[in-house]
């Protein structure tokens, strides 16, 4: 140290300083796109860097050793996503991996803290566990919490952190982050001093989109989970990749919003469709299997070419529908789970009155509101509005078990029935909100919203009964017990004794899929 201080101009001192200073990263490690034989680790360096990976099965604590495999070092440029693929792995096996980084020309590598993951399962009788966490809005809410530290957004952020802790406390295989995480489409977002670079409202520059992705994937937020288990995601209406947009920026959708958002996504996360069977045109729909379960991720925002103004305007688009139908027809997995931002349709005008979307004038921009009551006669036995009716026919015919969707910011589950009161075997699971508070959605007191979620028709919102749902923020923990049973639990993430408790749960059985039993909640 003293020698270096006295020899500031010496090459030896400069080399020592370069090798010892911490390498700057824009986004730290995110584990993603697992298969039964491989996984990808994403890293975004702020400077040119050489990287290799060492890894080991089990709970090894050292980054170097006899049992650890070592991939060769590759060079990655500053600001370019580093995608490190580990393959030839064993199915259903837990691993730890260490990234070793050095600046070009440096002699030694800096060893990063380890990441953890479990590969997917090949065996149909394996137990598969995953989390579904919807509508975090976290890139926007983090900024709002910093700009308004005494506001409701501070509570949202605190509860999000509680849910992350609860996710990490469970032995899960991966997490599916429901839509609305990166918030590149955010008409109501405001910033303050120190946050102007992130932009107010919908992004208008690539830098703004990049910064929101870097924020959402930071170690304070989703990156905290992405270091401990694989991170998968659904694109939401606030993630900026809607196909519709115009120069006026109607409802915050500008002509260039889609391109800016997609560029930012692929600059920060490796493309799942390059690993899984899925879209071949850049949209984010794909499928994979683990154990006895098939997972199908849909991209609802990729369908409509113009701003939807009624439920009939929503579509997956012909290419995505052909793909979905082929996946369903060829499926051989006992269980099928479908994920989407919202219904491909949704309630249009309750009681014949103009439907006021939050943040917009009446009678315009209808997108996906409502769960089982988003039907023509507003009953759980009615025909769904819009293209969701077609999807329901396909899902029923091909044995889909759960349609997971977000967007409405309350957690509610129920089975679709036909006009004769017979269960059709498809459960609709509203994701709730992984950030929020006990008051629920900002629009939860609106009469139209209360009426939407009164599934049993008793005049009271079922979320108050906490049999079918809850106002609490949190996430779903889903356990697939081989081919015998699927358990679905909603885990609260909130301040107080109820944090971490189960708000409600139900099980699905293959021999009684048309009439599974919905269990009472564990706690009031």
């Amino acid at each position: 140290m003293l020698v270096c201080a006295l020899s500031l101009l010496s090459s030896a001192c400069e080399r020592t300083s370069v090798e010892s200073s911490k390498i700057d990263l824009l986004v730290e490690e995110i584990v993603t796109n697992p298969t039964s034989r491989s996984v990808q680790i994403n890293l975004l360096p702020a400077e040119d860097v050489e990287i290799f990976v060492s890894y080991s099965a089990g709970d090894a604590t050292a980054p170097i050793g006899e049992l650890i495999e070592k991939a060769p070092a590759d060079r990655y440029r500053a600001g370019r996503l580093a995608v490190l693929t580990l393959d030839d792995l064993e199915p259903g096996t837990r691993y730890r991996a260490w990234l070793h980084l050095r600046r070009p020309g440096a002699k030694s590598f800096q060893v990063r803290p380890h990441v953890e993951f479990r590969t997917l399962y090949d065996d149909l009788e394996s137990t598969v566990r995953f989390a579904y966490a919807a509508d975090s809005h976290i890139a926007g809410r983090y900024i709002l919490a910093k700009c308004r530290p005494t506001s409701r957004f501070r509570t949202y952020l605190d509860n999000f952190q509680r849910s992350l802790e609860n996710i990490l406390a469970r032995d899960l295989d991966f997490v599916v982050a429901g839509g609305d995480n990166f918030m590149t489409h955010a008409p109501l977002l405001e910033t303050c001093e120190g946050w102007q670079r992130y932009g107010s409202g919908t992004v208008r520059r690539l830098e703004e989109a990049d910064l929101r992705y870097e924020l959402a994937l930071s170690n304070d937020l989703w990156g905290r989970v992405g270091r401990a288990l694989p991170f998968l995601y659904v694109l939401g209406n606030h993630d900026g990749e809607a196909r519709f947009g115009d120069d006026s920026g109607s409802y915050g959708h500008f002509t260039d919003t889609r391109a800016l958002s997609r560029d930012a996504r692929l600059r920060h996360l490796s493309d799942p469709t390059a690993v899984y069977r899925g879209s071949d045109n850049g949209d984010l729909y794909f499928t994979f299997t683990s154990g006895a379960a098939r997972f199908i991720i849909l991209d609802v925002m990729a369908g409509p070419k113009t701003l939807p103004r009624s439920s009939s305007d929503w579509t997956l688009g012909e290419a995505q529908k052909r793909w979905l139908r082929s996946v369903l027809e060829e499926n051989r997995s006992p269980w099928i789970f479908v994920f989407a931002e919202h219904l491909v349709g949704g309630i249009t005008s309750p009681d014949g009155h103009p439907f006021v979307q939050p943040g917009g004038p009446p009678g315009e921009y209808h997108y996906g509101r409502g769960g089982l009551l988003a039907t023509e006669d507003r009953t759980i036995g009615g025909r769904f509005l819009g293209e969701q009716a077609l999807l329901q026919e396909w899902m029923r015919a091909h044995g889909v078990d759960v349609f997971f969707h977000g967007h409405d910011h309350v957690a509610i589950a129920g089975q679709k029935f036909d006009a004769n009161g017979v269960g059709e075997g498809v459960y609709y699971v509203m994701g709730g909100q992984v950030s929020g508070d006990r008051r629920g959605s900002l629009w939860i007191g609106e009469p139209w919203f209360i009426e939407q979620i009164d599934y049993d028709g008793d005049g009271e919102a079922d979320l108050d009964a906490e049999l079918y749902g809850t106002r609490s923020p949190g996430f779903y923990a889903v356990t697939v017990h081989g081919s015998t049973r699927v358990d679905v639990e909603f885990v609260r993430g909130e301040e107080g004794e109820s944090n971490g408790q189960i708000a409600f749960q139900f099980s699905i059985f293959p021999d009684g899929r048309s009439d599974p039993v919905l269990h009472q909640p564990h706690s009031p």
Side-chain angles (χ1 to χ4, degrees):
M1 190 76 173
L2 179 60
V3 171
C4 189
L6 295 175
S7 310
L8 291 178
L9 298 180
S10 73
S11 60
C13 176
E14 290 177 357
R15 183 169 60 250
T16 301
S17 177
V18 166
E19 293 187 6
S20 61
S21 62
K22 187 176 180 180
I23 294 173
D24 191 17
L25 304 175
L26 297 172
V27 178
E28 299 186 17
E29 296 90 337
I30 299 287
V31 182
T32 189
N33 300 337
T35 73
S36 61
R37 296 287 182 177
S38 66
V39 76
Q40 290 184 333
I41 304 174
N42 293 175
L43 186 81
L44 186 59
E47 55 183 301
D48 287 3
V49 65
E50 293 178 346
I51 308 175
F52 77 84
V53 186
S54 62
Y55 57 96
S56 177
D59 296 322
T61 58
I64 303 294
E66 289 184 5
L67 300 179
I68 293 178
E69 300 292 336
K70 173 181 169 182
D74 289 316
R75 182 167 179 172
Y76 298 90
R77 293 179 58 186
R80 298 288 183 90
L81 182 66
V83 181
L84 299 106
T85 300
L86 304 183
D87 48 26
D88 295 327
L89 305 178
E90 293 297 318
T93 302
R94 190 168 189 82
Y95 288 88
R96 287 189 174 184
W98 294 260
L99 266 60
H100 303 249
L101 283 65
R102 72 179 178 189
R103 296 179 176 89
K107 290 185 175 180
S108 60
F109 285 88
Q110 301 177 16
V111 184
R112 297 275 306 156
H114 74 269
V115 299
E116 298 186 41
F117 60 90
R118 181 183 286 114
T119 50
L120 303 184
Y121 294 92
D122 282 342
D123 181 7
L124 293 181
E125 296 310 313
S126 298
T127 299
V128 178
R129 301 177 177 89
F130 68 94
Y132 171 61
D135 285 287
S136 73
H137 287 224
I138 200 59
R141 289 188 166 182
Y142 189 94
I143 294 171
L144 290 168
K146 295 299 182 182
C147 290
R148 306 175 190 172
T150 60
S151 71
R152 190 175 179 181
F153 295 105
R154 181 73 244 180
T155 301
Y156 291 164
L157 183 57
D158 290 343
N159 285 337
F160 179 71
Q161 298 289 354
R162 292 183 177 100
S163 278
L164 295 187
E165 291 173 3
N166 294 334
I167 289 172
L168 292 172
R170 289 175 170 250
D171 183 20
L172 300 174
D173 299 325
F174 55 88
V175 59
V176 178
D180 292 355
N181 294 291
F182 309 109
M183 303 302 287
T184 56
H185 167 266
L188 302 181
L189 179 63
E190 299 177 0
T191 56
C192 57
E193 185 177 357
W195 293 89
Q196 296 95 329
R197 290 176 58 214
Y198 291 77
S200 295
T202 297
V203 298
R204 302 313 316 277
R205 297 180 296 116
L206 183 57
E207 181 192 21
E208 295 172 354
D210 284 344
L211 286 171
R212 294 188 198 180
Y213 264 85
E214 288 163 19
L215 180 58
L217 297 173
S218 68
N219 274 347
D220 285 341
L221 303 176
W222 277 121
R224 183 177 174 189
V225 165
R227 296 184 58 84
L229 68 161
F231 175 81
L232 297 165
Y233 59 96
V234 180
L235 285 180
N237 59 291
H238 288 303
D239 294 324
E241 294 194 39
R243 192 174 297 280
F244 48 86
D246 55 46
D247 292 337
S248 71
S250 181
Y251 287 86
H253 293 282
F254 296 91
T255 303
D256 58 355
T257 303
R258 177 177 169 86
L260 291 173
S261 300
R262 179 167 293 181
D263 284 353
R265 173 167 63 88
L266 296 178
R267 286 160 61 90
H268 293 81
L269 289 166
S270 54
D271 187 359
T273 65
V275 176
Y276 306 121
R277 176 184 175 187
S279 168
D280 59 4
N281 63 2
D283 296 333
L284 196 76
Y285 54 87
F286 58 93
T287 184
F288 63 93
T289 61
S290 185
R294 174 167 293 280
F295 298 82
I296 301 173
I297 310 296
L298 298 180
D299 188 349
V300 176
M301 306 310 296
K305 296 180 180 179
T306 59
L307 187 73
R309 298 189 182 278
S310 72
S311 58
S312 61
D313 290 338
W314 280 102
T315 179
L316 292 179
E318 293 306 314
Q320 188 171 184
K321 283 193 291 185
R322 285 194 300 271
W323 173 87
L324 173 60
R325 187 159 193 174
S326 69
V327 169
L328 292 175
E329 290 175 346
E330 297 167 15
N331 174 67
R332 297 295 180 267
S333 297
W335 306 104
I336 312 175
F337 306 131
V338 177
F339 299 79
E341 161 63 5
H342 57 64
L343 304 188
V344 191
I347 291 177
T348 300
S349 298
D351 300 327
H353 298 295
F355 181 39
V356 180
Q357 285 284 0
E364 297 189 30
Y365 199 180
H366 305 281
Y367 59 140
R369 292 290 175 203
L372 290 174
L373 289 188
T375 60
E376 292 174 348
D377 61 359
R378 306 193 63 206
T379 69
I380 62 175
R383 179 178 173 82
F384 275 119
L385 292 163
E387 198 169 275
Q388 191 68 33
L390 176 63
L391 264 64
Q392 175 64 17
E393 291 177 12
W394 290 357
M395 291 192 295
R396 178 186 55 78
H398 294 287
V400 170
D401 299 284
V402 183
F403 184 88
F404 291 94
H405 71 95
H407 196 57
D408 284 308
H409 300 186
V410 289
I412 301 173
Q415 185 185 184
K416 183 72 177 73
F417 287 79
D418 65 16
N420 297 316
V422 178
E424 295 190 339
V426 183
Y427 269 79
Y428 281 74
V429 173
M430 254 187 212
Q433 195 164 46
V434 72
S435 64
D437 60 22
R438 280 287 292 164
R439 287 175 286 180
S441 300
L442 294 173
W443 54 87
I444 205 167
E446 295 292 325
W448 60 266
F449 193 79
I450 293 175
E451 193 170 354
Q452 280 187 45
I453 57 180
D454 182 14
Y455 290 158
D456 58 10
D458 65 357
E460 296 183 2
D462 292 317
L463 65 90
D464 288 333
E466 292 198 332
L467 176 62
Y468 295 92
T470 178
R471 279 195 179 111
S472 292
F475 68 97
Y476 285 92
V478 183
T479 305
V480 182
H481 298 276
S483 58
T484 62
R485 187 179 86 246
V486 174
D487 294 335
V488 182
E489 303 171 309
F490 188 82
V491 184
R492 288 177 166 132
E494 59 192 0
E495 185 178 10
E497 295 182 0
S498 62
N499 180 50
Q501 293 185 357
I502 308 303
F504 63 92
Q505 65 173 12
F506 62 97
S507 299
I508 305 173
F509 305 92
D511 59 351
R513 199 160 47 212
S514 63
D515 189 24
V517 176
L518 189 66
H519 298 294
Q520 293 286 348
H522 286 176
S523 59

